[in-house]
Amino acid sequence: MAKFTVFFKDKAINSEIFDSGVVHIGRDETNDLSVDSLAVAPAHAAVIIKNDKCIIKQLNDDFPLIINNTPTKEAVLQNNDRINIGKHSIVYSVTESISDMARNKASDKDISFLNEKLEENMKPTEANLQIMNGPHIGRILSLKKSMTRLGNNDSGIVAISRRKEGYFISTLENPNGCPLTVNKQPLGEQSIPLKNNDIISINKVSMQFFVTNA
């Protein structure tokens, strides 16, 4: 499991543990790890946790990603790596899995019960996108991955992240300033939660988000 501890002037102010999936870091409060500082972009970085490996990626070219005092676009995080952000820093560390921590405190029966409850609570909602116009009108796109990328370098790229709280959309790249909107509102650099029947538009292609097992 991945543990992220936020420090302000070397004083720990917050700590979060994540098992898998995509962890969004940024100033916006909808991020998994929110840092209240103007030195932090609303959507600053994303950490992909998979197979005991953590890959961190920069999301905003105007806000550098600095690991152990070295600027980078993408890196594989190592135990005790430090993400430097203004007067804040975030320390990544490897911790025990949920099952390991439970095994130290409970019987096998208790562990099985705990794991069942965790799976129930962490099971995310299933959702899809349906293309509303253009040559592929009516096509259904499943959102089963932890992160789904939509668009291209010319039209801009957005990411839809699947979290236990629901689905969140954010801009990954938009060098040409193409229209990226949700319900006709510019997406910008923020990360926002998607609601049933929201309309996403990428360079005149519209898609409707809908939940299948709400």
Side-chain angles (χ1 to χ4, degrees):
M1 296 178 70
K3 181 179 180 181
F4 295 90
T5 304
V6 181
F7 290 84
F8 178 69
K9 295 182 178 179
D10 296 324
K11 181 180 179 180
I13 58 175
N14 185 31
S15 184
E16 299 286 349
I17 295 176
F18 302 92
D19 189 20
S20 61
V22 180
V23 179
H24 284 185
I25 300 172
R27 186 171 70 246
D28 194 275
E29 63 182 10
T30 60
N31 287 280
D32 301 292
L33 204 60
S34 178
V35 181
D36 186 13
S37 169
L38 293 177
V40 184
H44 196 97
V47 181
I48 302 169
I49 307 171
K50 187 176 181 181
N51 298 329
D52 297 326
K53 190 175 183 180
C54 284
I55 300 174
I56 188 168
K57 296 183 179 183
Q58 180 180 347
L59 295 182
N60 192 318
D61 289 338
D62 294 330
F63 290 81
L65 175 62
I66 302 175
I67 309 294
N68 301 325
N69 298 316
T70 302
T72 184
K73 294 282 188 180
E74 181 177 325
V76 177
L77 290 176
Q78 305 296 326
N79 194 36
N80 294 324
D81 273 354
R82 183 178 290 265
I83 305 165
N84 308 103
I85 311 176
K87 294 181 180 180
H88 289 77
S89 62
I90 303 173
V91 175
Y92 162 76
S93 58
V94 179
T95 187
E96 294 178 293
S97 67
I98 292 175
S99 59
D100 288 339
M101 291 188 289
R103 187 170 288 107
N104 291 332
K105 299 179 181 179
S107 66
D108 289 341
K109 183 178 179 180
D110 292 332
I111 293 168
S112 297
F113 178 77
L114 175 64
N115 287 337
E116 287 176 4
K117 291 300 180 184
L118 284 171
E119 288 178 2
E120 289 177 5
N121 293 334
M122 296 180 66
K123 185 178 180 181
T125 299
E126 297 289 343
N128 297 301
L129 293 174
Q130 184 171 22
I131 299 176
M132 306 299 292
N133 61 355
H136 302 292
I137 187 171
R139 182 180 176 186
I140 302 294
L141 304 177
S142 177
L143 298 174
K144 292 183 177 181
K145 296 180 180 179
S146 58
M147 176 185 283
T148 301
R149 293 164 61 99
L150 300 170
N152 54 53
N153 292 332
D154 295 327
S155 64
I157 301 174
V158 302
I160 297 179
S161 301
R162 183 185 187 192
R163 312 179 197 172
K164 61 182 179 181
E165 300 91 351
Y167 289 79
F168 290 76
I169 185 170
S170 58
T171 301
L172 283 183
E173 297 179 22
N174 193 14
N176 299 320
C178 295
L180 302 174
T181 65
V182 177
N183 298 327
K184 298 183 179 181
Q185 298 299 313
L187 180 57
E189 298 297 334
Q190 60 187 327
S191 175
I192 64 173
L194 287 172
K195 300 183 291 294
N196 201 30
N197 297 322
D198 277 352
I199 302 296
I200 302 166
S201 295
I202 304 175
N203 196 23
K204 299 182 180 180
V205 176
S206 297
M207 293 164 282
Q208 185 176 40
F209 173 85
F210 63 94
V211 175
T212 58
N213 67 340

